[in-house]
Amino acid sequence: AQKITQTQPGMFVQEKEAVTLDCTYDTSDQSYGLFWYKQPSSGEMIFLIYQGSYDEQNATEGRYSLNFQKARKSANLVISASQLGDSAMYFCAMREGTARDDKIIFGKGTRLHILP
Amino acid sequence: GAGVSQSPRYKVTKRGQDVALRCDPISGHVSLYWYRQALGQGPEFLTYFNYEAQQDKSGLPNDRFSAERPEGSISTLTIQRTEQRDSAMYRCASSLGGGADTQYFGPGTRLTVL
């Protein structure tokens, strides 16, 4: 079974609109971490935001917020006021277990296109 | 400070040759990770180190792949007797350790095996 599921292979969104990228995860661990990374066409992997499983508040970083719904095992990324530079591949990822230095498992990604 | 660096950025080799890919983590970062990313896919874990100790190598595809980090800083991923299926982007990441688990990625090495 896939650990991280991103159901939207591609999305087209008008500039300045808000965007929600879906991510569901599968784990039996109580302690885990959830990440979102951005990969523009240049190929670099840019860390965006992190949510710990015990964090009570949804994580926010500037225009990025993580809509964490633990019971539904959902960790959607919300980008407010989208910009042309947001066009990129976005990966949701999870680190399982209590060892906070353990490997990250990535989803297949969502390619986001921002239209002018 | 400088981010994670990798060299070479591009490597083209013939099938059967050995290759060594180098990763220089962010200064002071304890943990170092190797991932492989196929085109259009997310990175897949290969192996990781805390300091010089290899903690998990469960993602290495077979015994042609090995990695080391002898002094707890720079790491080398070696692929022996390369095959065409080894062609991919190889990414290195590092994290501070000690409870800070955000991994920061390098630019990757694009390996092409002819």
Side-chain angles (χ1 to χ4, degrees):
Chain A
Q2 284 189 34
K3 292 282 188 177
I4 296 288
T5 303
Q6 295 181 253
T7 57
Q8 307 149 309
M11 287 185 70
F12 289 84
V13 172
Q14 207 68 39
E15 188 181 10
K16 298 180 186 174
E17 289 185 353
V19 181
T20 297
L21 304 181
D22 295 341
C23 174
T24 57
Y25 58 92
D26 180 24
T27 183
S28 56
D29 288 346
Q30 296 301 309
S31 176
Y32 51 89
L34 297 158
F35 304 80
W36 278 92
Y37 284 84
K38 172 184 178 181
Q39 187 171 47
S41 57
S42 57
E44 55 195 307
M45 288 284 286
I46 302 168
F47 165 73
L48 294 179
I49 197 165
Y50 167 80
Q51 179 87 41
S53 59
Y54 291 116
D55 294 341
E56 294 189 353
Q57 303 240 356
N58 285 346
T60 60
E61 290 285 349
R63 293 186 301 112
Y64 304 108
S65 61
L66 199 153
N67 185 359
F68 181 45
Q69 298 188 36
K70 197 169 183 176
R72 299 177 65 179
K73 294 188 176 178
S74 166
N76 297 343
L77 177 70
V78 180
I79 307 173
S80 63
S82 58
Q83 302 170 356
L84 295 178
D86 295 332
S87 293
M89 193 76 157
Y90 288 81
F91 292 101
C92 179
M94 176 175 66
R95 185 263 311 143
E96 291 184 286
T98 54
R100 298 185 68 175
D101 59 356
D102 211 337
K103 62 179 180 272
I104 289 176
I105 301 166
F106 286 82
K108 293 184 183 300
T110 294
R111 184 165 296 282
L112 176 64
H113 303 268
I114 305 297
L115 304 172
Chain B
V4 178
S5 61
Q6 293 185 245
S7 61
R9 293 291 308 277
Y10 302 90
K11 178 69 177 178
V12 180
T13 190
K14 291 184 179 179
R15 189 179 53 189
Q17 296 294 306
D18 297 350
V19 295
L21 311 181
R22 173 186 163 124
C23 172
D24 198 346
I26 294 171
S27 178
H29 276 199
V30 165
S31 302
L32 184 149
Y33 309 79
W34 283 100
Y35 293 84
R36 179 168 70 174
Q37 186 176 17
L39 208 58
Q41 301 291 318
E44 282 186 303
F45 170 78
L46 295 176
T47 185
Y48 90 96
F49 295 82
N50 279 344
Y51 298 101
E52 72 282 359
Q54 192 168 20
Q55 298 293 324
D56 183 348
K57 55 181 181 178
S58 62
L60 295 177
N62 50 61
D63 60 8
R64 295 186 296 106
F65 288 73
S66 64
E68 62 174 10
R69 194 186 185 199
E71 296 178 2
S73 179
I74 293 168
S75 177
T76 303
L77 176 70
T78 301
I79 309 173
Q80 295 180 311
R81 304 180 304 282
T82 52
E83 301 177 5
Q84 286 186 326
R85 61 179 170 155
D86 299 334
S87 296
M89 177 71 85
Y90 289 82
R91 294 195 181 272
C92 175
S94 70
S95 69
L96 194 55
D101 54 0
T102 297
Q103 295 180 21
Y104 297 92
F105 282 80
T109 294
R110 168 73 64 192
L111 175 65
T112 303
V113 183
L114 303 176

